[in-house]
Amino acid sequence: MASLVLHAVLVVGLVAMVGPFVWMLLSSVKPEGEIRLVPTTWWPHHPTLDNYRDLFARLNFPTYFLNSAIVAGLITLGNLMFCSAVGYALAKLRFPGRRALFGLVLGSVMVPGMVTFVPLFVLVANMGLTNTYAGLVLPFLAWALGAFLMRQFMLSIPDELIESARVDGAGELRIFLRIVLPLCRPALAALGILSFLTFWNSFLWPLVVATTEDKYTLPVALALFSVGQNQTKFGLLLAGSVVVVLPVLIVFLLLQRHFVRGIATTGLK
Amino acid sequence: MTAAASDASTRRGRGVPRLRRVLVGWGFALPFTVLFLVFMAGPVIASLLMSFTDIRSADLRNPLGVNLVGIQNYSRLFHDELFIKSAVNTAIFVLAGVPLTMVCGLAAALGLNAGLTRFRSLFRVGYYLPVVTSIVAIAVVWRFLLQPDSGLLNSLLRLVGVHGPNWLYDTRLALPSLIVMAAWRNLGYQMVIFLAGLQAIPQELYEAARIDGATSWQQLRYVTLPALRPTLLFVGVIATIGYLQFFEEPLVMTQGGPLNSTLSVSYHIYNQFGFGNYGYASAMSYVLFLSIVLMSILWFRLLRSDEGR
Amino acid sequence: MKSGTRRGVAVALVAALALAGCGRDGGGGGQDKAKPVGEGKAKGDITVWAMGTEGEKLSALAEDFMKDNPDAKVTVTAVPWDGAHDKLATAIAGKQTPDVSLIGTTWMGEFAKTGGLDATPPDLVKKDDFYEGAWNTTVVDGTSYGVPWYVETRLLYVNKAAAIKAGVSTPPKSWDELKSAIKALKDKGGAKWGVNLQPGQTGSWQTVMPFVWQNGGDVAKDGKFTLDSPEAVEAFAYYKSFFDEGLAPKDLPQGALEPAFVKGQIGAFVSGPWHISVLKDQGGAGKYDLWPMPTKQSGTSFVGGGDLAVFKDAKNRDGGWKFVSYLSRPEVQAKWYKTVNDLPAVKKGWDDPALSGDPQLSAFGKQLEDAKSPPTIATWEQVSAAIDAEVEKMCKTGEKAEDAAKAMQQQATSIGTGA
């Protein structure tokens, strides 16, 4: 009975959550005039694939897709490495400067991104990194939010586990790779999902760093169709949004399977 | 620091020498720290400096040719009617939005974690969809939902004989409407983190609680929530950061209106950067930063568990 | 955490004190001497940024240009309008500009003031070839920093069926005639709202200021704001009266205008040439007339569009200007209209039958003869936002026109002109 109620609530919630996404899917196969109808409609009356055809014809799609994949992929990998290492240090290792470092990390999570935008660009420009993958990727490899996330998760790993490995003579790197990281699978999955989502969708930074179209990412290229309320090509924008969202969903689907109890956790007393 | 460290080493270090601890600790922290300092420290210091100058967009090519104005940008804030208005709006948004989203996000995570055995991935993806759906599509659908005459919400209200208002164009209702929309949009993000956090709670704790005859509510109250503290702290802090920087929803739905009733501090900052008032906008950003720090300290106090070390 | 953060603040403060030695060396932009461009054909790489559809299609014209100038290679980068302002600002700050860029007319003052734009070379183009209102958007403190590329202006779109029912057969000539025509559209023409005028919020000044101009007022005269002049106050009161008399909606949901207009529920609205294609998409083609602005002292409308500018940090300044000059040729302007429907900024461009033969476009062409742009001051974006906010208060809360004008004037004065 209780489970039936739970299911019912979850299903109702699900409908409310997926509504706009379904509208986006359905409207991406409508002609422009039909999308702009007020009040809006759900089912397409004159379904057409023109929006998608137009999208692929007008955009140099493979290039933008590849750029997005390279940039978001490298940043996500970098985050997984650097943020988990520093998160481990901040949560489980005692060394001078630890508290100051955590303060800096936490502090910079809290600095509004807008305020550092121009100085960061000037810095990257002076390093000669505009219009390069390095300029798109390097500033975000050390993602403060990711470091904070990993630290919080690692706090809940029992100290005894690490201590006993150390007593058994395991090296520090080995402890990290063999004991800590496997315990962090759910956290790494969450970090991967959030990092990929954030940097796949990132717009303003790639827009200013890429000065020629061959370095544009998908969101930047898609924004070309958004030209104010009156002239925006909603059909192209929606079709593009559907295409942009797919990799994010695939990453989510692949990684959410790791939201399972770590084997070691249950075995420990 | 030194005293505390040596104290800690005698207590728990068990013969790990100090030098080794330094090397190991920084060995793990260094790659991140170097990248972090290179790309974060400079811009932060530069922008902090900007907030004490009268730098405008006209100075972009010659940023050193500006005048130092001390705390003038900061004192100006308190006479800026729009800033005060936006600060009040932001406060309402944080106080209502953060708890609302966290309760919903946690509820979704608990529901999907506990009860479901089938279609688990489907449900997870479904609840995550608003996070990834394009804001353009979200805006259109929500506008349709809140439309005064033909909207879904007011049509439902009509069924029970209530004449629904013009949600987004009413100065009292626009902000609450956006709060609900933001909670809807962000709960999936928090759900992901909660889902991960829930996996770290040892199953034995629940078994023990069940043996003691604890109800599900008691299990939630005395097992899940305490064990989830580090996760709650993280989510609480980032939700506060996110909601204090509330921006996208008013941008696409109301442009801060009607009559600035949905203008947030972040939106105001965005406008000031757009106007080229870099010094003033930076000062405003750092006031926002300070309020984020204060709110985060509250969170740390509230959820202090392993933080004492 | 605390000690670390505090240390950071201390470092910053010390550095700030070190900076105290610096200071403004006065001026910066606005006093540039225009340098001529070399003779002969363009050479080398020319990089160009253009926004939106213009960016997508400009390569077509660049091909033609390269045929005429075989030693030149033009690379066009399309830039989204969203974020274009940030991209230009950061590029100027990081000295990473292209050679040429499209710049929105209302941004010219701000970017010219950065000193990042090159003054228009003498004899490159003839000022009188362009619509006066469009040319003025390039002039900052008496120096021109670019060349108008395309223009747009605003007319009244009027539902034909409603107008016939209302018995309004000719466009109203005066403010009074316009008012009674709008009333007739509502009372006799069957429209729920006689007209839609933007009740404040971003860009409403583009609809409001033409009425001020028609009444002989202006945003500023001789470097001083004149938003509370009697002419301006009267214009604001006129604008406000449409809302007070129930002729214009105060809270029309976004996107509701066009369908309601096509159905005749809204009798008229003020907008630019892009609405021709928007209405066509919504089944409104042929269902409306275009009226020019009514005349008080004058029949002035707003002129907007895009200018082309060359940057100081350009690597190929001469090539850039030569490309700009090429785009200003009448035949190229006409071809550009046929490519992306942008209206020519060069008067002779309108001689092409594609433009002169189209009655709807001719209406816009005629209005361009009497169209104005706001002053090219560096702070215009901020001043205009203040105007928008007061217009909203005036239209929605019943604030008096005098008080709105006073508040605009007071805010504009405290913002200043950025000089």
Side-chain angles (χ1 to χ4, degrees):
Chain A
M1 182 58 208
S3 125
L4 202 68
V5 172
L6 178 70
H7 274 79
V9 171
L10 285 176
V11 169
V12 170
L14 189 69
V15 172
M17 298 305 277
V18 301
F21 186 83
V22 171
W23 183 85
M24 175 170 90
L25 279 182
L26 292 175
S27 296
S28 70
V29 294
K30 290 178 194 166
E32 191 70 19
E34 215 177 310
I35 299 173
R36 283 172 173 272
L37 283 181
V38 176
T40 192
T41 55
W42 289 86
W43 200 252
H45 292 288
H46 304 283
T48 161
L49 285 178
D50 282 355
N51 293 326
Y52 288 92
R53 223 168 283 145
D54 247 34
L55 182 73
F56 290 109
R58 283 171 68 173
L59 287 185
N60 189 358
F61 213 82
T63 307
Y64 303 139
F65 194 91
L66 194 70
N67 285 342
S68 274
I70 292 173
V71 170
L74 284 178
I75 294 178
T76 305
L77 284 180
N79 285 170
L80 288 174
M81 270 160 47
F82 298 126
C83 295
S84 58
V86 78
Y88 174 59
L90 290 174
K92 291 295 166 193
L93 301 175
R94 264 130 213 67
F95 58 97
R98 180 179 65 117
R99 288 167 71 88
L101 180 61
F102 182 53
L104 273 181
V105 168
L106 210 51
S108 73
V109 173
M110 298 172 191
V111 175
M114 275 183 276
V115 75
T116 53
F117 193 81
V118 175
L120 182 61
F121 179 80
V122 174
L123 176 73
V124 166
N126 284 331
M127 293 167 106
L129 296 180
T130 43
N131 217 25
T132 64
Y133 288 121
L136 291 167
V137 168
L138 282 179
F140 309 103
L141 285 182
W143 193 32
L145 190 83
F148 181 31
L149 176 78
M150 291 315 290
R151 174 196 183 261
Q152 290 312 104
F153 272 105
M154 289 181 174
L155 282 179
S156 52
I157 296 174
D159 282 338
E160 296 73 21
L161 215 61
I162 298 165
E163 292 290 326
S164 64
R166 220 170 260 155
V167 171
D168 291 346
E172 295 293 338
L173 196 60
R174 195 183 157 80
I175 296 176
F176 176 65
L177 292 176
R178 290 294 168 81
I179 296 173
V180 176
L181 281 190
L183 284 175
C184 288
R185 249 171 58 183
L188 288 170
L191 176 62
I193 287 171
L194 299 184
S195 170
F196 190 81
L197 167 79
T198 305
F199 297 105
W200 178 267
N201 285 339
S202 155
F203 170 70
L204 212 49
W205 182 257
L207 171 71
V208 302
V209 170
T211 51
T212 56
E213 284 169 41
D214 60 333
K215 289 289 186 303
Y216 273 10
T217 57
L218 263 186
V220 176
L222 268 185
L224 290 172
F225 299 127
S226 159
V227 273
Q229 183 55 31
N230 289 313
Q231 289 148 295
T232 296
K233 312 267 187 299
F234 277 105
L236 287 174
L237 219 50
L238 291 175
S241 303
V242 171
V243 176
V244 167
V245 109
L246 288 180
V248 181
L249 280 184
I250 291 170
V251 166
F252 180 81
L253 266 175
L254 290 177
L255 291 180
Q256 60 88 26
R257 291 182 309 168
H258 297 284
F259 292 154
V260 290
R261 217 158 292 278
I263 305 148
T265 331
T266 41
L268 121 181
K269 263 278 145 102
Chain B
M1 186 112 240
T2 328
S6 65
D7 180 42
S9 81
T10 46
R11 199 156 26 87
R12 42 171 59 245
R14 261 184 242 143
V16 183
R18 187 189 153 85
L19 181 65
R20 189 180 143 81
R21 272 191 287 118
V22 173
L23 287 178
V24 170
W26 279 108
F28 279 102
L30 206 62
F32 179 94
T33 312
V34 168
L35 278 168
F36 181 75
L37 287 180
V38 168
F39 289 103
M40 203 56 205
V44 167
I45 291 172
S47 61
L48 198 55
L49 290 179
M50 270 160 53
S51 75
F52 294 101
T53 69
D54 61 355
I55 187 168
R56 290 187 33 82
S57 59
D59 304 306
L60 278 175
R61 282 174 92 242
N62 182 22
L64 292 183
V66 297
N67 293 322
L68 209 65
V69 296
I71 58 162
Q72 197 181 307
N73 286 329
Y74 290 89
S75 52
R76 224 177 100 194
L77 279 174
F78 299 99
H79 307 290
D80 181 344
E81 271 174 48
L82 275 185
F83 176 75
I84 292 165
K85 170 114 196 161
S86 67
V88 173
N89 290 342
T90 307
I92 296 172
F93 191 75
V94 170
L95 292 179
V98 171
L100 181 66
T101 317
M102 283 180 74
V103 168
C104 294
L106 183 59
L110 288 170
L112 295 189
N113 197 47
L116 278 182
T117 41
R118 302 172 67 187
F119 304 120
R120 200 182 257 231
S121 304
L122 178 80
F123 274 90
R124 282 176 176 174
V125 171
Y127 278 78
Y128 186 63
L129 279 180
V131 180
V132 300
T133 306
S134 119
I135 186 80
V136 180
I138 290 180
V140 173
V141 176
W142 273 81
R143 247 183 246 129
F144 162 66
L145 215 65
L146 300 173
Q147 200 94 46
D149 307 322
S150 48
L152 206 58
L153 185 58
N154 282 358
S155 305
L156 287 176
L157 285 176
R158 212 170 298 130
L159 289 181
V160 292
V162 177
H163 180 75
N166 193 348
W167 298 93
L168 290 172
Y169 291 83
D170 184 309
T171 48
R172 286 156 308 164
L173 295 173
L175 188 61
S177 304
L178 292 192
I179 291 174
V180 172
M181 174 179 166
W184 171 88
R185 198 173 157 229
N186 290 314
L187 75 89
Y189 192 92
Q190 303 193 355
M191 179 197 72
V192 169
I193 302 162
F194 280 129
L195 272 175
L198 284 171
Q199 314 308 327
I201 305 174
Q203 204 60 36
E204 294 77 17
L205 294 179
Y206 290 104
E207 277 158 26
R210 270 195 293 271
I211 290 166
D212 292 345
T215 61
S216 340
W217 175 253
Q218 284 168 328
Q219 286 178 35
L220 173 69
R221 173 73 188 76
Y222 297 105
V223 179
T224 311
L225 288 183
L228 212 52
R229 262 189 201 169
T231 312
L232 279 168
L233 177 62
F234 176 81
V235 173
V237 170
I238 63 151
T240 308
I241 294 172
Y243 280 91
L244 273 169
Q245 299 185 26
F246 172 49
F247 170 62
E248 240 181 350
E249 284 82 2
L251 181 74
V252 295
M253 298 296 286
T254 60
Q255 285 82 50
L259 294 165
N260 295 319
S261 60
T262 56
L263 184 78
S264 68
V265 173
S266 257
Y267 202 152
H268 193 35
I269 294 174
Y270 168 83
N271 282 338
Q272 291 296 329
F273 271 115
F275 298 152
N277 296 327
Y278 290 2
Y280 187 52
S282 301
M284 225 184 294
S285 305
Y286 280 101
V287 170
L288 184 62
F289 167 77
L290 273 185
S291 59
I292 294 175
V293 170
L294 288 178
M295 293 285 291
S296 303
I297 290 174
L298 278 182
W299 277 113
F300 271 84
R301 286 272 150 83
L302 192 69
L303 293 168
R304 180 164 41 195
S305 58
D306 295 321
E307 298 300 331
R309 293 186 269 178
Chain C
M1 163 180 174
K2 282 166 208 143
S3 63
T5 317
R6 224 178 276 149
R7 218 170 293 147
V9 172
V11 170
L13 283 177
V14 171
L17 291 174
L19 251 184
C22 321
R24 242 173 255 285
D25 49 2
Q31 284 98 36
D32 293 275
K33 264 273 182 291
K35 290 179 293 270
V37 167
E39 300 281 318
K41 295 203 177 262
K43 282 195 259 327
D45 287 334
I46 303 169
T47 52
V48 183
W49 287 356
M51 292 73 180
T53 328
E54 284 77 16
E56 200 186 332
K57 298 283 170 64
L58 181 56
S59 306
L61 298 193
E63 299 281 328
D64 296 348
F65 177 76
M66 286 187 279
K67 263 177 228 151
D68 289 359
N69 300 268
D71 294 333
K73 186 174 175 294
V74 180
T75 312
V76 179
T77 298
V79 175
W81 274 114
D82 292 343
H85 184 272
D86 292 332
K87 187 165 166 104
L88 287 167
T90 47
I92 290 172
K95 302 195 167 55
Q96 300 286 323
T97 59
D99 299 322
V100 182
S101 179
L102 162 62
I103 293 183
T105 50
T106 52
W107 297 346
M108 286 299 288
E110 184 187 354
F111 288 131
K113 275 287 176 190
T114 64
L117 302 185
D118 196 40
T120 314
D123 308 325
L124 182 80
V125 291
K126 278 208 240 24
K127 174 185 166 183
D128 294 337
D129 290 347
F130 298 85
Y131 287 106
E132 192 192 347
W135 180 263
N136 287 339
T137 64
T138 70
V139 180
V140 181
D141 294 345
T143 308
S144 165
Y145 287 94
V147 172
W149 188 14
Y150 62 86
V151 290
E152 53 97 349
T153 188
R154 311 297 162 85
L155 296 175
L156 279 147
Y157 285 74
V158 184
N159 184 296
K160 234 184 221 169
I164 292 171
K165 254 196 274 172
V168 189
S169 50
T170 51
K173 294 208 175 50
S174 64
W175 279 12
D176 291 342
E177 278 183 46
L178 175 66
K179 180 59 98 32
S180 39
I182 297 296
K183 264 196 195 125
L185 284 173
K186 185 184 175 188
D187 297 340
K188 290 185 268 169
K192 187 176 172 211
W193 303 104
V195 67
N196 182 55
L197 297 168
Q198 206 184 328
Q201 295 220 326
T202 311
S204 65
W205 60 270
Q206 298 171 358
T207 317
V208 178
M209 286 318 294
F211 289 103
V212 176
W213 290 327
Q214 286 157 25
N215 203 25
D218 206 343
V219 175
K221 270 187 186 121
D222 308 323
K224 284 210 179 72
F225 289 103
T226 52
L227 287 160
D228 60 351
S229 68
E231 293 85 6
V233 171
E234 194 187 357
F236 295 142
Y238 179 66
Y239 195 82
K240 175 181 161 68
S241 69
F242 286 94
F243 296 92
D244 290 354
E245 294 168 28
L247 296 170
K250 294 178 186 176
D251 48 12
L252 194 69
Q254 212 173 323
L257 167 65
E258 294 84 3
F261 175 75
V262 172
K263 283 186 211 143
Q265 291 162 353
I266 289 176
F269 65 93
V270 178
S271 188
W274 57 84
H275 254 109
I276 294 176
S277 74
V278 175
L279 289 174
K280 196 169 144 202
D281 274 347
Q282 308 224 358
K287 292 188 183 165
Y288 59 90
D289 286 321
L290 291 170
W291 290 354
M293 284 289 153
T295 305
K296 182 91 171 166
Q297 311 276 336
S298 68
T300 313
S301 186
F302 164 82
V303 58
D307 296 337
L308 289 165
V310 172
F311 292 91
K312 279 251 179 64
D313 295 315
K315 294 194 185 72
N316 190 353
R317 172 183 173 272
D318 280 18
W321 279 120
K322 280 174 185 161
F323 185 54
V324 170
S325 132
Y326 173 81
L327 293 178
S328 315
R329 291 188 197 167
E331 71 276 14
V332 180
Q333 289 253 308
K335 181 169 181 196
W336 190 229
Y337 165 73
K338 289 176 222 164
T339 318
V340 291
N341 290 345
D342 275 350
L343 300 180
V346 175
K347 292 184 215 162
K348 282 218 182 77
W350 285 76
D351 293 346
D352 193 283
L355 286 139
S356 57
D358 184 320
Q360 286 179 332
L361 292 179
S362 302
F364 282 101
K366 190 137 195 331
Q367 183 70 64
L368 278 167
E369 306 277 353
D370 191 356
K372 242 179 118 120
S373 54
T376 51
I377 52 177
T379 52
W380 175 248
E381 292 283 313
Q382 190 173 1
V383 171
S384 67
I387 297 176
D388 288 338
E390 290 307 320
V391 169
E392 187 180 14
K393 273 192 213 159
M394 181 178 86
C395 297
K396 289 186 183 168
T397 69
E399 186 187 38
K400 279 200 234 138
E402 294 86 24
D403 297 339
K406 231 181 259 162
M408 283 180 208
Q409 175 72 10
Q410 186 260 323
Q411 288 181 55
T413 309
S414 88
I415 292 164
T417 58

